[in-house]
Amino acid sequence: MKKLEILQHYFGHQNFREQQEEVIDYILNNQDVLMILPTGGGKSLCYQLPSLLMSGVTVVVSPLLALMHDQVVALRGNGISASMLSSMQTQEETKEIEQALYNNQIKLLYVAPERLMNDYFLTFLMELNINFFVIDEAHCVSEWGHEFREHYRMLSQLKTSFPSTTIAAFTATATTIVREDIVSNLQLINPKIVTGSLFRKNLTMTAQHRQSDGRVQLINFLKEQKSLTGIVYAFSRKQTESVAKYLERQGYKAKAFHAGLPTNIKKKVYSEFVSDEIDIVVATIAFGMGIDKSNIRFVVHMNLPKTLENYYQEIGRAGRDGLDATTLLLFSAQDIVQQKSFIDALPDSPYKVNAYEKINTISRFSDSESCRHQQIAHYFNDSIEACGDRCDNCINPDRNSIDITTEARKLLSTIYRTKQSFGIHYVVDVIRGSKEQRILTNGHDQLSVYGIGENYSKPQWLSISDKLLELGAVGIGDYKVYYLTERGVNILKGGEEVSIREERLMVKKAKAKKKITYFDDYKVEIFDKLRVLRKEIATTSKVPPYVVFSDKTLKELSNVMPTNKAEMLEVHGVGEVKFERYGEAFLQLIAEIAHV
Ligand code: ADP
Ligand code: ZN
């Protein structure tokens, strides 16, 4: 079969995307290659497809078991023989897989790096016919990246052991320095470097200063969503649980996920999410890497991520099917203080300096006023036009600022009068004239500043204090005590004015933005019926629904309403293999719907 036929037959796609064919050709010509393409860009096809044109087995190194598992399930769903070797397999299973490898019955083998690089296994591999090696998530080899993995370091030996075997490396994001690290650590030979545009035009990015705990903003955001499938990232384990409970109380199907949960619970949450039984996972960053759920419609960050790379990768999990998805980043100056305090605790090294720079980059990004897509592209050495309508800064360029000099002075004065010895919540309670026992005991109800700030709510005062923190007018000391800096003293004395974006003082329903039209481009009722069928099939065949058909496929089906095989094969994601398995069932349902 030719490349294009394989694409249609096994993968159900009509055409190659930009750069896919280029990488496939390099691989077929035994040329080392590094491909940098954003999440959802279609990297896996670039090594899966040429494997079908080669006679041996392709060995794929991947950092996460969940990722490998999903890929194997998806490949088998397309009728391609694939297996994985990791700590998850029993000895029996391992033996079986090894036998199958000897018999050349496996096209793609996924292995964990520590598994691959053990001596026994390397020797075993030398007896096989290996097409080429794939290093997925290749940025993990670099200590300059954001996800360095100790086991990836060993991969530098791969070229030494297999000098004539091609290596194809893939990653979604890599700055210049990480790119160089990948090439040198993997000892790639004159590699072709193929980069796609980083612009994910189906993602809409918004960032907001977090007001109090951000929950009102979260709910407002969720209310705007057409689909509820998404991930909410929270900072701590405790926070994931409390936000998940909160969402549940508000009527959402949400569950928490973090590394501290027992394995069986983690597995359960993961599979319930993948199979659409729950809508929202509130997770620490332990969740999501390699998650192969193409219909995630939103990603929310309740806190500032550690780096722009992390942020981009995490939001990149939304909209992998190419349909529109939205993201919301909530941040506050306190996040930055907190992140920096973690780095402070590290021993001195160049990586420490690097880590500070990364925090500064993401914090500038979060509070910026220019196109967010453009900024990210720039960070990764790409240049694009402003998106126009895919980020808050482009959608809503002129945001009103209001003068809060008086309020700022009141707050600074309260910090000063309470002797710079209290946390911000206490200070705000004083300014709002709270009758809390601690305040009365301390005699702070006798201060001239007591109750001078009743006209603003607590969340509003917290936003004002955040603004002062951003300006460096106040600092946070031990025990989270707020103190005045030189700049704060200057403001207090009337030497400087302070203003804040109006919206930060108002937790209000966001204005209707430009409507995303894609969601309306399909027949919702038909889609829902197709979805029920998909779920039934998925349950009986014990695979996640997206392995049967993606949302995109169902939406197209709802529009096209194919009446026969030929028409159905034209639809995105429907190839011969899939048609054989599920085609008739869907055609039948569509016929029934059409005759009602
Ligand atoms: P990545 O590994 O780069 O994150 P994937 O390989 O998971 O991306 O692909 C993302 C989505 O794009 C999948 O749903 C896949 O089916 C789809 N896709 C890949 N290549 C094509 C293509 N040539 N035409 C249409 N869809 C494609
Ligand atoms: Zn923009």
Side-chain angles (χ1 to χ4, degrees):
M1 268 200 268
K2 295 250 168 53
K3 275 181 296 187
L4 200 60
E5 282 173 73
I6 293 188
L7 182 71
Q8 291 160 355
H9 180 87
Y10 284 100
F11 297 93
H13 303 316
Q14 297 310 309
N15 299 300
F16 287 107
R17 289 183 182 161
E18 226 185 315
Q19 281 114 2
Q20 282 182 327
E21 211 173 352
E22 188 186 349
V23 171
I24 291 168
D25 287 341
Y26 287 139
I27 291 175
L28 291 173
N29 288 322
N30 294 323
Q31 163 71 60
D32 284 354
V33 56
L34 164 60
M35 181 183 218
I36 302 160
L37 198 67
T39 313
K43 289 184 288 295
S44 28
L45 185 97
C46 298
Y47 61 83
Q48 291 171 351
L49 191 145
S51 304
L52 301 180
L53 287 163
M54 298 165 99
S55 58
V57 57
T58 299
V59 178
V60 186
V61 182
S62 173
L64 269 196
L65 302 186
L67 179 101
M68 297 191 221
H69 178 255
D70 291 340
Q71 292 271 358
V72 169
V73 172
L75 280 164
R76 290 182 180 167
N78 279 331
I80 300 167
S81 72
S83 284
M84 68 185 273
L85 279 175
S86 71
S87 50
M88 245 154 64
Q89 278 68 43
T90 61
Q91 259 189 332
E92 303 277 279
E93 287 168 328
T94 305
K95 279 248 158 63
E96 260 173 49
I97 293 171
E98 289 182 0
Q99 193 54 50
L101 285 166
Y102 264 127
N103 300 343
N104 201 12
Q105 288 163 335
I106 295 178
K107 278 275 117 197
L108 286 126
L109 176 73
Y110 286 80
V111 278
E114 61 274 23
R115 220 16 249 255
L116 176 69
M117 299 314 289
N118 99 25
D119 285 340
Y120 159 77
F121 195 66
L122 282 178
T123 320
F124 170 77
L125 280 185
M126 287 185 188
E127 295 173 38
L128 302 181
N129 174 9
I130 295 180
N131 300 330
F132 58 98
F133 289 106
V134 174
I135 316 294
D136 206 3
E137 312 286 351
H139 58 276
C140 294
V141 304
S142 172
E143 290 189 66
W144 292 106
H146 60 294
E147 273 174 345
F148 171 64
R149 289 189 177 239
E150 198 57 43
H151 283 127
Y152 262 61
R153 201 199 291 275
M154 301 184 297
L155 295 174
S156 60
Q157 289 304 310
L158 206 52
K159 233 352 165 200
T160 319
S161 305
F162 297 87
S164 58
T165 308
T166 306
I167 296 183
F170 296 86
T171 175
T173 53
T175 51
T176 311
I177 185 162
V178 172
R179 222 176 272 196
E180 285 165 4
D181 260 11
I182 294 173
V183 171
S184 69
N185 291 4
L186 293 177
Q187 304 193 56
L188 301 186
I189 300 164
N190 300 323
K192 297 287 182 192
I193 297 188
V194 180
T195 45
S197 167
L198 285 166
F199 183 29
R200 297 271 319 266
K201 37 177 170 310
N202 60 325
L203 286 192
T204 301
M205 281 188 261
T206 295
Q208 291 170 2
H209 288 268
R210 188 175 61 245
Q211 295 165 350
S212 325
D213 56 12
R215 290 183 187 181
V216 176
Q217 287 159 295
L218 174 62
I219 294 290
N220 280 346
F221 174 82
L222 293 179
K223 283 187 184 152
E224 282 187 356
Q225 305 304 310
K226 292 241 174 167
S227 155
L228 283 176
T229 308
I231 307 176
V232 176
Y233 283 111
F235 182 71
S236 64
R237 296 175 179 189
K238 218 173 92 192
Q239 202 191 351
T240 61
E241 291 182 1
S242 69
V243 173
K245 286 220 178 72
Y246 169 75
L247 288 176
E248 256 185 307
R249 285 197 302 275
Q250 302 286 322
Y252 294 95
K253 284 196 267 176
K255 283 199 178 160
F257 183 104
H258 58 74
L261 291 172
T263 312
N264 60 329
I265 303 278
K266 279 193 286 194
K267 278 199 178 142
K268 187 155 177 275
V269 175
Y270 182 84
S271 75
E272 284 177 346
F273 183 57
V274 169
S275 62
D276 292 342
E277 279 162 53
I278 53 174
D279 293 322
I280 303 173
V281 175
V282 186
T284 55
I285 49 168
F287 183 78
M289 185 176 179
I291 184 168
D292 196 358
K293 180 174 170 66
S294 65
N295 62 340
I296 295 174
R297 294 269 72 87
F298 67 82
V299 169
V300 176
H301 285 87
M302 299 298 287
N303 304 81
L304 193 72
K306 271 201 301 232
T307 69
L308 199 56
E309 287 99 320
N310 282 105
Y311 169 71
Y312 193 56
Q313 192 153 62
E314 283 150 21
I315 63 167
R317 290 166 192 151
R320 291 180 73 150
D321 51 12
L323 301 185
D324 282 309
T326 47
T327 72
L328 172 67
L329 165 61
L330 298 178
F331 64 95
S332 104
Q334 295 174 48
D335 298 346
I336 301 162
V337 174
Q338 186 171 37
Q339 299 271 19
K340 285 197 174 164
S341 73
F342 289 132
I343 305 174
D344 288 339
L346 298 174
D348 285 333
S349 79
Y351 300 119
K352 188 169 172 175
V353 179
N354 185 44
Y356 282 121
E357 270 171 30
K358 283 183 189 286
I359 301 251
N360 290 335
T361 305
I362 178 90
S363 79
R364 272 197 307 275
F365 168 83
S366 61
D367 203 24
S368 64
E369 298 184 11
S370 62
C371 176
R372 295 189 189 278
H373 284 284
Q374 205 171 30
Q375 291 179 65
I376 289 181
H378 179 76
Y379 183 72
F380 294 110
N381 308 301
D382 192 7
S383 92
I384 59 168
E385 302 270 301
C387 74
D389 61 356
R390 295 283 142 171
C391 78
D392 50 353
N393 289 336
C394 287
I395 292 172
N396 199 1
D398 314 304
R399 281 181 271 188
N400 276 344
S401 282
I402 54 171
D403 185 279
I404 50 159
T405 312
T406 312
E407 287 74 16
R409 281 199 208 129
K410 283 183 184 173
L411 192 64
L412 291 166
S413 170
T414 309
I415 294 171
Y416 184 72
R417 300 269 169 213
T418 52
K419 306 233 160 24
Q420 313 190 64
S421 316
F422 292 91
I424 194 64
H425 285 269
Y426 184 91
V427 173
V428 170
D429 285 344
V430 172
I431 209 172
R432 297 193 68 248
S434 155
K435 304 244 168 9
E436 221 191 286
Q437 192 56 45
R438 212 168 134 221
I439 294 178
L440 305 180
T441 313
N442 288 333
H444 286 154
D445 55 336
Q446 304 301 317
L447 295 175
S448 57
V449 291
Y450 181 75
I452 58 170
E454 277 169 316
N455 54 332
Y456 278 114
S457 66
K458 188 158 182 175
Q460 287 172 322
W461 280 115
L462 293 176
S463 293
I464 295 171
S465 75
D466 248 6
K467 177 75 198 192
L468 292 175
L469 195 58
E470 285 154 40
L471 291 175
V474 294
I476 305 180
D478 292 344
Y479 307 107
K480 300 197 174 168
V481 159
Y482 273 58
Y483 60 86
L484 269 55
T485 62
E486 216 174 297
R487 186 162 184 189
V489 173
N490 186 42
I491 293 172
L492 189 57
K493 285 187 183 153
E496 191 183 338
E497 297 190 339
V498 184
S499 61
I500 193 168
R501 281 198 195 145
E502 199 177 7
E503 73 216 15
R504 294 180 63 180
L505 293 182
M506 284 180 278
V507 186
K508 59 177 182 192
K509 275 203 89 163
K511 278 186 237 121
K513 307 223 174 83
K514 284 182 198 167
K515 273 271 174 282
I516 293 163
T517 51
Y518 209 113
F519 290 111
D520 303 323
D521 283 359
Y522 66 95
K523 314 241 164 44
V524 179
E525 279 159 32
I526 299 175
F527 173 78
D528 285 344
K529 287 183 184 153
L530 298 175
R531 221 177 117 164
V532 172
L533 175 59
R534 175 176 71 175
K535 178 84 182 122
E536 279 168 22
I537 295 178
T539 311
T540 8
S541 8
K542 296 204 173 59
V543 294
Y546 68 82
V547 169
V548 178
F549 283 130
S550 68
D551 281 10
K552 189 164 180 178
T553 303
L554 296 194
K555 286 179 182 173
E556 244 185 81
L557 286 173
S558 79
N559 285 331
V560 177
M561 298 285 278
T563 55
N564 57 40
K565 178 174 174 182
E567 283 173 20
M568 182 141 173
L569 284 177
E570 292 286 303
V571 170
H572 170 97
V574 186
E576 287 282 350
V577 179
K578 287 235 167 130
F579 183 84
E580 221 144 88
R581 290 189 185 166
Y582 318 118
E584 287 305 336
F586 278 89
L587 281 179
Q588 202 180 334
L589 175 62
I590 289 167
E592 281 165 24
I593 297 170
H595 288 112
V596 177

